[in-house]
Amino acid sequence: VLAVIALAPDKGYWMIFLFGILAAHTLKVLPKQTWAAKSVATFVPLIGLVLVYLVDYKPYGILQYCITFFIFLFFLYGNTIWGLLKTPAAKLLGTMSYSIYLVHGIVLYVILKGVDIIHPVALLSPIAFWSIMLVSALIIILISGLTYRYIEYPFLKKYKAKLADKVM
């Protein structure tokens, strides 16, 4: 993996995988970090989220990856942002996350291309742009919910039933 990253012309995407591998390894080497799950520790990843956008903003900056890595570790060690990540809405989004991952690019492409025909996206005001993003997010969640329920879930159900038959 390191050789591929070193030789790749665009190291950005590969660095994301490298930091993911590093997080998994860190969790394996240092499995019990209960301090990171404490309520007061939530301020650290929240400050980190702010720092990611304040420091040398580049699409694939190593400093952003380092900060994001440490933020991610807090969540791996059980920090729930004062319980926010345990809410039914967060759990539902987590359940649909693969569908969201598959659908979001297509929906954003279609919506932004459609908007660009009417008015150039690059010239939108911040309020107009983020309003479009909010509507896009709602559409993505709606479509992802449907694709999860009617495509992904039936396959998962069959797979779990097949696993259960093998165990018996």
Side-chain angles (χ1 to χ4, degrees):
V1 171
L2 290 173
V4 170
I5 292 169
L7 297 172
D10 181 13
K11 293 173 181 43
Y13 287 117
W14 293 106
M15 290 296 289
I16 294 169
F17 287 107
L18 181 63
F19 276 94
I21 292 166
L22 182 61
H25 180 70
T26 302
L27 189 63
K28 188 175 183 179
V29 174
L30 301 169
K32 203 82 163 157
Q33 302 297 319
T34 56
W35 59 269
K38 293 188 178 186
S39 185
V40 71
T42 299
F43 288 105
V44 176
L46 292 179
I47 290 168
L49 285 171
V50 172
L51 285 176
V52 163
Y53 293 99
L54 293 180
V55 297
D56 191 30
Y57 188 74
K58 293 179 185 170
Y60 299 108
I62 189 76
L63 189 54
Q64 283 91 351
Y65 288 144
C66 291
I67 294 169
T68 305
F69 166 76
F70 285 107
I71 292 168
F72 189 56
L73 280 181
F74 274 81
F75 301 137
L76 287 176
Y77 287 130
N79 194 295
T80 63
I81 312 175
W82 298 301
L84 181 67
L85 298 178
K86 287 187 171 186
T87 62
K91 288 179 180 181
L92 179 63
L93 287 173
T95 300
M96 297 184 333
S97 63
Y98 188 64
S99 292
I100 292 170
Y101 168 71
L102 293 175
V103 166
H104 83 279
I106 298 165
V107 173
L108 287 174
Y109 178 83
V110 169
I111 289 174
L112 290 175
K113 279 293 183 184
V115 168
D116 205 42
I117 291 169
I118 299 165
H119 187 278
V121 173
L123 301 178
L124 290 172
S125 71
I127 291 174
F129 176 79
W130 287 111
S131 297
I132 291 167
M133 289 299 102
L134 176 62
V135 170
S136 299
L138 295 173
I139 292 169
I140 290 165
I141 291 168
L142 176 68
I143 293 171
S144 296
L146 292 171
T147 58
Y148 174 79
R149 174 62 184 97
Y150 295 106
I151 298 171
E152 189 178 349
Y153 179 74
F155 282 102
L156 289 172
K157 193 174 173 182
K158 285 180 185 178
Y159 177 73
K160 287 180 182 178
K162 192 180 276 190
L163 281 179
D165 288 344
K166 284 184 180 181
V167 172
M168 292 182 177

